[in-house]
Amino acid sequence: KGRKPRLSDSQICALFIVSAFFGVPVLKLTRILGLNVHSWHIFRRMRLKRIYKCLRQLLKFLRYKTQNKQVLVVDGKLLKVARLERALTQRIKRGLGGLGWGRRKRKLYSVHKGREIQIDEKVFGVLVMAIVNDEAKVIDIWFTSARKHEVKALRQRLYHSGYLRKLFREGRVLGDKAYRGLKWVEVCERKEQKSIRQRVEGIFARLKFLECNSGWRQLNTLLTYLTA
Protein backbone atom coordinates (compact mmCIF):
# COMPACT_ATOMS: atom_id res chain seq x y z
CA LYS A 1 0.00 0.00 0.00
CA GLY A 2 2.86 2.41 0.71
CA ARG A 3 3.09 5.30 3.08
CA LYS A 4 0.13 7.65 3.40
CA PRO A 5 0.84 11.08 1.82
CA ARG A 6 1.15 14.02 4.18
CA LEU A 7 -1.40 16.02 2.15
CA SER A 8 -4.20 14.69 -0.02
CA ASP A 9 -4.85 15.95 -3.57
CA SER A 10 -7.94 17.85 -2.46
CA GLN A 11 -5.98 19.59 0.30
CA ILE A 12 -3.28 20.66 -2.17
CA CYS A 13 -5.97 21.94 -4.56
CA ALA A 14 -7.38 24.02 -1.72
CA LEU A 15 -3.91 25.42 -0.97
CA PHE A 16 -3.43 26.48 -4.59
CA ILE A 17 -6.83 28.19 -4.66
CA VAL A 18 -6.17 30.08 -1.41
CA SER A 19 -2.67 31.06 -2.56
CA ALA A 20 -4.03 32.45 -5.84
CA PHE A 21 -6.76 34.36 -3.98
CA PHE A 22 -4.38 36.05 -1.52
CA GLY A 23 -1.40 36.30 -3.89
CA VAL A 24 0.93 34.18 -1.74
CA PRO A 25 3.07 31.24 -2.96
CA VAL A 26 1.93 27.83 -1.79
CA LEU A 27 4.99 27.02 0.33
CA LYS A 28 4.83 30.39 2.07
CA LEU A 29 1.14 29.79 2.74
CA THR A 30 1.90 26.44 4.39
CA ARG A 31 4.38 28.16 6.72
CA ILE A 32 1.77 30.80 7.61
CA LEU A 33 -0.73 28.04 8.41
CA GLY A 34 1.88 26.17 10.47
CA LEU A 35 1.93 23.05 8.28
CA ASN A 36 5.03 20.85 8.29
CA VAL A 37 5.17 20.54 4.50
CA HIS A 38 8.14 20.62 2.13
CA SER A 39 8.34 21.23 -1.61
CA TRP A 40 8.58 17.52 -2.48
CA HIS A 41 5.21 16.94 -0.81
CA ILE A 42 3.50 19.19 -3.37
CA PHE A 43 5.61 19.75 -6.50
CA ARG A 44 6.27 16.20 -7.64
CA ARG A 45 5.68 15.92 -11.37
CA MET A 46 3.00 13.22 -11.41
CA ARG A 47 1.20 14.63 -8.40
CA LEU A 48 1.20 18.11 -9.89
CA LYS A 49 -0.42 16.72 -13.04
CA ARG A 50 -3.23 15.28 -10.93
CA ILE A 51 -3.68 18.61 -9.15
CA TYR A 52 -3.84 20.47 -12.46
CA LYS A 53 -6.46 18.06 -13.85
CA CYS A 54 -8.56 18.48 -10.71
CA LEU A 55 -8.41 22.30 -10.89
CA ARG A 56 -9.13 22.21 -14.63
CA GLN A 57 -12.26 20.14 -14.06
CA LEU A 58 -13.37 22.60 -11.37
CA LEU A 59 -12.87 25.52 -13.78
CA LYS A 60 -14.89 23.75 -16.48
CA PHE A 61 -17.69 23.05 -14.00
CA LEU A 62 -17.84 26.69 -12.91
CA ARG A 63 -17.81 28.11 -16.44
CA TYR A 64 -20.55 25.75 -17.65
CA LYS A 65 -22.71 27.15 -14.86
CA THR A 66 -22.51 30.59 -16.45
CA GLN A 67 -24.85 31.80 -19.15
CA ASN A 68 -23.89 31.53 -22.81
CA LYS A 69 -24.92 35.07 -23.74
CA GLN A 70 -22.61 37.25 -21.67
CA VAL A 71 -20.05 40.03 -21.98
CA LEU A 72 -16.49 38.71 -22.20
CA VAL A 73 -13.19 40.53 -21.85
CA VAL A 74 -9.98 39.20 -23.41
CA ASP A 75 -6.48 40.46 -22.67
CA GLY A 76 -2.89 39.33 -22.30
CA LYS A 77 0.01 40.18 -20.01
CA LEU A 78 3.72 39.39 -20.14
CA LEU A 79 4.66 37.61 -16.92
CA LYS A 80 8.32 38.12 -16.08
CA VAL A 81 10.12 34.87 -15.21
CA ALA A 82 13.51 36.32 -14.26
CA ARG A 83 15.13 39.72 -14.06
CA LEU A 84 16.89 40.86 -17.18
CA GLU A 85 20.44 40.73 -15.79
CA ARG A 86 19.92 37.20 -14.45
CA ALA A 87 18.37 35.97 -17.71
CA LEU A 88 21.32 37.37 -19.67
CA THR A 89 24.11 36.02 -17.48
CA GLN A 90 22.78 32.62 -16.37
CA ARG A 91 21.29 29.68 -18.18
CA ILE A 92 17.69 29.39 -17.04
CA LYS A 93 15.97 26.10 -17.88
CA ARG A 94 12.34 27.13 -18.20
CA GLY A 95 11.29 25.11 -21.22
CA LEU A 96 10.96 28.11 -23.54
CA GLY A 97 14.58 28.93 -24.37
CA GLY A 98 14.77 31.74 -26.93
CA LEU A 99 10.98 31.93 -27.13
CA GLY A 100 10.94 33.44 -23.64
CA TRP A 101 12.10 36.87 -24.82
CA GLY A 102 9.47 39.55 -25.45
CA ARG A 103 8.77 43.26 -25.14
CA ARG A 104 6.13 45.12 -23.19
CA LYS A 105 5.26 48.81 -22.90
CA ARG A 106 5.98 50.53 -19.61
CA LYS A 107 5.48 54.10 -18.34
CA LEU A 108 8.36 55.84 -16.55
CA TYR A 109 8.72 59.37 -15.24
CA SER A 110 11.36 61.38 -17.12
CA VAL A 111 13.17 63.97 -15.01
CA HIS A 112 14.43 65.82 -18.09
CA LYS A 113 11.01 66.06 -19.80
CA GLY A 114 9.05 66.47 -16.57
CA ARG A 115 6.36 63.96 -17.54
CA GLU A 116 5.69 60.26 -17.98
CA ILE A 117 7.08 58.64 -21.12
CA GLN A 118 6.36 55.22 -22.61
CA ILE A 119 9.24 52.84 -23.28
CA ASP A 120 9.58 49.29 -24.64
CA GLU A 121 10.95 47.03 -21.92
CA LYS A 122 12.72 43.78 -22.79
CA VAL A 123 11.30 40.93 -20.73
CA PHE A 124 12.16 37.25 -20.27
CA GLY A 125 8.96 35.41 -19.46
CA VAL A 126 5.69 34.06 -20.84
CA LEU A 127 2.53 35.61 -22.28
CA VAL A 128 -0.48 34.93 -20.04
CA MET A 129 -3.88 35.17 -21.77
CA ALA A 130 -7.18 35.41 -19.90
CA ILE A 131 -10.86 35.52 -20.85
CA VAL A 132 -13.10 36.94 -18.11
CA ASN A 133 -16.81 37.73 -18.03
CA ASP A 134 -18.41 40.93 -16.70
CA GLU A 135 -18.81 39.31 -13.26
CA ALA A 136 -15.00 38.89 -12.97
CA LYS A 137 -15.27 35.10 -13.36
CA VAL A 138 -12.44 33.46 -15.30
CA ILE A 139 -13.73 31.59 -18.35
CA ASP A 140 -10.33 30.46 -19.59
CA ILE A 141 -6.68 31.22 -18.82
CA TRP A 142 -3.50 29.91 -20.44
CA PHE A 143 0.06 30.94 -21.31
CA THR A 144 2.19 30.83 -24.43
CA SER A 145 5.48 32.14 -25.82
CA ALA A 146 6.37 35.74 -24.99
CA ARG A 147 7.17 36.37 -28.66
CA LYS A 148 3.65 35.53 -29.79
CA HIS A 149 1.15 38.33 -30.40
CA GLU A 150 -2.05 38.33 -28.36
CA VAL A 151 -4.25 38.06 -31.46
CA LYS A 152 -2.39 34.99 -32.71
CA ALA A 153 -2.55 33.36 -29.26
CA LEU A 154 -6.32 33.99 -29.12
CA ARG A 155 -6.90 32.57 -32.60
CA GLN A 156 -5.01 29.39 -31.75
CA ARG A 157 -7.03 28.97 -28.57
CA LEU A 158 -10.32 29.42 -30.41
CA TYR A 159 -9.23 26.91 -33.05
CA HIS A 160 -8.85 24.19 -30.39
CA SER A 161 -11.87 25.11 -28.22
CA GLY A 162 -15.38 24.72 -29.56
CA TYR A 163 -16.86 25.98 -26.29
CA LEU A 164 -15.04 29.33 -26.59
CA ARG A 165 -16.09 29.67 -30.23
CA LYS A 166 -19.71 29.23 -29.15
CA LEU A 167 -19.35 31.89 -26.43
CA PHE A 168 -17.76 34.32 -28.86
CA ARG A 169 -20.57 33.83 -31.38
CA GLU A 170 -23.43 34.23 -28.89
CA GLY A 171 -22.00 36.95 -26.61
CA ARG A 172 -20.05 40.19 -26.77
CA VAL A 173 -16.26 40.28 -26.55
CA LEU A 174 -14.34 43.37 -25.46
CA GLY A 175 -10.64 44.02 -25.97
CA ASP A 176 -8.08 46.80 -26.14
CA LYS A 177 -6.55 48.43 -29.22
CA ALA A 178 -4.35 45.39 -29.88
CA TYR A 179 -7.46 43.52 -31.12
CA ARG A 180 -8.55 46.20 -33.57
CA GLY A 181 -9.58 44.66 -36.88
CA LEU A 182 -11.01 41.41 -35.47
CA LYS A 183 -14.70 41.24 -36.40
CA TRP A 184 -15.75 39.37 -33.24
CA VAL A 185 -13.92 41.66 -30.75
CA GLU A 186 -15.17 45.14 -29.86
CA VAL A 187 -12.45 47.67 -29.06
CA CYS A 188 -13.20 49.51 -25.79
CA GLU A 189 -13.96 53.11 -26.66
CA ARG A 190 -16.76 54.17 -24.30
CA LYS A 191 -16.38 54.71 -20.59
CA GLU A 192 -18.72 51.86 -19.60
CA GLN A 193 -16.78 49.45 -21.82
CA LYS A 194 -13.49 50.45 -20.22
CA SER A 195 -14.98 49.92 -16.76
CA ILE A 196 -15.95 46.36 -17.73
CA ARG A 197 -12.47 45.74 -19.11
CA GLN A 198 -10.99 46.50 -15.68
CA ARG A 199 -12.23 43.07 -14.55
CA VAL A 200 -9.39 41.32 -16.36
CA GLU A 201 -6.83 43.78 -14.96
CA GLY A 202 -7.85 42.66 -11.49
CA ILE A 203 -7.08 39.05 -12.45
CA PHE A 204 -3.61 40.01 -13.71
CA ALA A 205 -2.96 42.02 -10.54
CA ARG A 206 -3.29 38.80 -8.54
CA LEU A 207 -0.50 37.20 -10.60
CA LYS A 208 2.16 39.72 -9.55
CA PHE A 209 3.44 37.36 -6.87
CA LEU A 210 4.55 34.97 -9.63
CA GLU A 211 6.86 37.50 -11.30
CA CYS A 212 10.58 36.69 -10.80
CA ASN A 213 9.53 34.08 -8.25
CA SER A 214 11.63 30.93 -7.97
CA GLY A 215 8.76 29.11 -6.27
CA TRP A 216 7.82 27.53 -9.60
CA ARG A 217 10.53 25.81 -11.63
CA GLN A 218 8.40 23.94 -14.15
CA LEU A 219 5.78 25.13 -16.62
CA ASN A 220 3.33 22.62 -15.13
CA THR A 221 3.60 24.46 -11.82
CA LEU A 222 2.84 27.79 -13.49
CA LEU A 223 -0.14 26.23 -15.29
CA THR A 224 -1.47 24.95 -11.96
CA TYR A 225 -1.12 28.40 -10.38
CA LEU A 226 -2.96 30.03 -13.30
CA THR A 227 -5.78 27.52 -13.22
CA ALA A 228 -6.23 28.03 -9.47
Side-chain angles (χ1 to χ4, degrees), residues 68-85:
N68 291 332
K69 295 183 179 180
Q70 53 188 327
V71 180
L72 303 177
V73 183
V74 58
D75 201 3
K77 178 181 176 60
L78 277 174
L79 186 67
K80 190 186 298 184
V81 173
R83 292 180 176 85
L84 186 62
E85 60 272 12

Side-chain angles (χ1 to χ4, degrees), residues 26-210:
V26 171
L27 284 180
K28 187 176 181 180
L29 180 63
T30 57
R31 298 189 188 101
I32 294 174
L33 296 176
L35 301 175
N36 186 17
V37 177
H38 299 281
S39 60
W40 56 84
H41 293 134
I42 299 175
F43 297 106
R44 290 181 179 177
R45 182 174 298 179
M46 296 306 298
R47 186 164 211 194
L48 205 60
K49 285 184 178 180
R50 296 200 306 269
I51 301 302
Y52 167 69
K53 288 181 180 179
C54 179
L55 291 173
R56 192 69 187 176
Q57 290 297 325
L58 178 61
L59 179 63
K60 287 182 179 180
F61 174 76
L62 292 176
R63 75 183 188 184
Y64 277 117
K65 286 291 183 179
T66 60
Q67 298 178 357
N68 291 332
K69 295 183 179 180
Q70 53 188 327
V71 180
L72 303 177
V73 183
V74 58
D75 201 3
K77 178 181 176 60
L78 277 174
L79 186 67
K80 190 186 298 184
V81 173
R83 292 180 176 85
L84 186 62
E85 60 272 12
R86 182 167 178 257
L88 288 171
T89 56
Q90 298 185 17
R91 184 180 178 184
I92 304 177
K93 296 180 180 179
R94 301 289 181 180
L96 289 177
L99 298 178
W101 292 103
R103 291 185 178 274
R104 66 180 178 184
K105 294 182 179 180
R106 183 183 177 188
K107 290 184 178 181
L108 292 177
Y109 181 79
S110 175
V111 179
H112 301 286
K113 295 184 178 181
R115 58 182 175 84
E116 284 189 347
I117 59 173
Q118 196 173 49
I119 63 171
D120 286 338
E121 181 186 17
K122 193 175 183 180
V123 177
F124 183 82
V126 294
L127 175 63
V128 178
M129 297 289 298
I131 300 175
V132 184
N133 63 6
D134 53 348
E135 298 178 354
K137 293 181 180 179
V138 178
I139 304 299
D140 198 8
I141 188 167
W142 72 98
F143 71 91
T144 183
S145 168
R147 288 186 177 182
K148 193 173 294 184
H149 195 272
E150 295 179 18
V151 175
K152 185 176 180 181
L154 178 61
R155 283 175 174 169
Q156 290 180 351
R157 194 67 170 184
L158 290 173
Y159 178 78
H160 292 96
S161 176
Y163 175 73
L164 288 180
R165 291 197 300 270
K166 181 181 178 182
L167 287 182
F168 274 48
R169 285 195 302 266
E170 296 180 354
R172 293 175 56 204
V173 185
L174 302 179
D176 56 13
K177 295 180 181 179
Y179 301 92
R180 190 181 299 274
L182 295 179
K183 60 180 181 180
W184 26 267
V185 177
E186 299 179 21
V187 178
C188 296
E189 300 288 352
R190 298 190 302 272
K191 187 176 180 180
E192 56 270 16
Q193 290 179 332
K194 293 180 180 180
S195 63
I196 296 175
R197 187 183 168 275
Q198 292 300 317
R199 307 291 195 276
V200 72
E201 297 296 337
I203 300 299
F204 288 140
R206 296 182 185 179
L207 302 178
K208 286 186 177 180
F209 75 100
L210 293 175

